[in-house]
Amino acid sequence: MYFVYFLGTAGSGKSTMTKVFGEWLEDHEMSACRVNLDPAVKQLPYFAEVDVRRYVDYNELLESGLGPNGAMVKSVDLILQHATTLRKEIEECLSNYVLVDTPGQIELFAYRKVTLELLRELSGGDKSAIVYLIDSTILSKEENQLDPYAFASLAVLGASLKIRFRLPQVNVINKVDLLSMEQRFQLDAWLEDMRSIAYSVGGEEGTLTIRLIEAIEDSGGIGEMLVSSAVTEEGLDSLYAALQRSFYGGEDYA
Ligand code: GDP
Ligand code: MG
């Protein structure tokens, strides 16, 4: 089994990607087990073979007097108590790929103390990778341009995830169907060579931005950077190929 953990800021398309990438795998004669780890989600666009909501009741925590954030934090922390059961359910899927959809807000999942242990318990020694989704709409600015600072800050968040999980990582600029031709052109140049972002930034903030991008590049990068769209299905084949490379690249969970 290969584990794919979809991470990204709220609304970046994690749940939608779990759906469309699962369908893509099934269309290509593979099987997918969809795992929902979001205790607070109301509606999912796919059927979750494994669903944390069967074990953790966000609404009950909310009614117990915790605020929405408190209840969310608590419910994510409680997932760990059910890790053995979730792992068993995942094994019962008998799938090649396990697609793990994570809670809406990235910090509630990626930066909780329990998360690394939870991942270890769920993956149980099977190969795992992070797919970090970047929302194209955040990159967009007026006059048909892209915002280099938005791009750099989201690349830095990708570096943070790489440091946090130390797993093979594929970075995906998602929802590219919403970008104009001009914006795509600009994005392609940045993806070709992230350092070229230096031409678009200046001043003091520019220095920090350039230094951080250089640090990412000089240290070997944060994994492949691709584009995708759940609407046009562009990039799903590239995502699959990048995942295959990362699973066979020899990196392992540290
Ligand atoms: P999550 O919070 O990361 O799970 O994000 P969702 O999967 O719920 O997606 C948030 C919104 O973005 C939904 O309205 C989706 O329909 C929409 N969305 C997701 N992927 C794409 C895409 O590739 N293109 C477009 N145009 N919209 C998308
Ligand atoms: Mg979601």
Side-chain angles (χ1 to χ4, degrees), residues 12-228:
S12 56
K14 300 177 289 291
S15 300
T16 310
M17 190 55 86
T18 303
K19 171 191 160 71
V20 298
F21 193 59
E23 287 167 355
W24 188 93
L25 289 168
E26 286 166 354
D27 285 346
H28 291 78
E29 274 147 43
M30 281 165 281
S31 50
C33 182
R34 281 144 286 238
V35 180
N36 169 48
L37 287 190
D38 188 345
V41 71
K42 291 232 163 61
Q43 262 196 327
L44 290 171
Y46 56 87
F47 173 75
E49 282 84 2
V50 180
D51 194 333
V52 75
R53 291 177 298 178
R54 289 184 203 125
Y55 305 102
V56 177
D57 191 339
Y58 168 77
N59 287 315
E60 195 181 290
L61 291 167
L62 199 58
E63 283 157 20
S64 78
L66 296 168
N69 275 330
M72 191 62 213
V73 165
K74 179 87 183 165
S75 61
V76 169
D77 286 355
L78 284 174
I79 300 176
L80 185 60
Q81 294 181 6
H82 303 279
T84 312
T85 312
L86 294 170
R87 169 72 197 182
K88 198 161 150 278
E89 286 191 4
I90 291 168
E91 284 173 0
E92 282 164 5
C93 277
L94 301 172
S95 299
N96 314 117
Y97 273 81
V98 181
L99 306 181
V100 186
D101 185 14
T102 62
Q105 282 100 327
I106 191 165
E107 77 279 14
L108 283 173
F109 185 72
Y111 300 105
R112 294 299 302 162
K113 194 168 168 23
V114 297
T115 308
L116 295 183
E117 198 181 338
L118 178 61
L119 256 64
R120 246 191 317 265
E121 296 268 330
L122 291 182
S123 310
D126 289 312
K127 284 188 187 277
S128 306
I130 300 292
V131 171
Y132 167 47
L133 296 171
I134 294 174
D135 187 341
S136 283
T137 60
I138 301 177
L139 305 181
S140 242
K141 69 171 186 184
E142 63 286 358
E143 287 159 15
N144 224 352
Q145 297 285 302
L146 291 183
D147 179 353
Y149 295 106
F151 179 84
S153 61
L154 289 169
V156 170
L157 179 55
S160 172
L161 294 175
K162 180 73 192 159
I163 293 168
R164 175 78 176 131
F165 290 103
R166 280 160 280 129
L167 281 172
Q169 185 167 315
V170 180
N171 308 281
V172 182
I173 319 255
N174 192 28
K175 308 193 194 179
V176 288
D177 56 288
L178 298 174
L179 296 181
S180 67
M181 290 280 281
E182 288 87 338
Q183 290 173 324
R184 274 302 289 275
F185 193 69
Q186 197 174 4
L187 181 61
D188 288 344
W190 289 345
L191 294 183
E192 179 95 9
D193 178 11
M194 271 225 270
R195 287 168 215 266
S196 68
I197 211 164
Y199 301 122
S200 316
V201 298
E204 243 171 78
E205 300 128 5
T207 307
L208 178 61
T209 305
I210 294 165
R211 290 271 164 84
L212 288 173
I213 292 292
E214 281 175 351
I216 290 172
E217 291 294 87
D218 290 347
S219 62
I222 54 173
E224 293 185 49
M225 277 254 187
L226 315 171
V227 297
S228 75

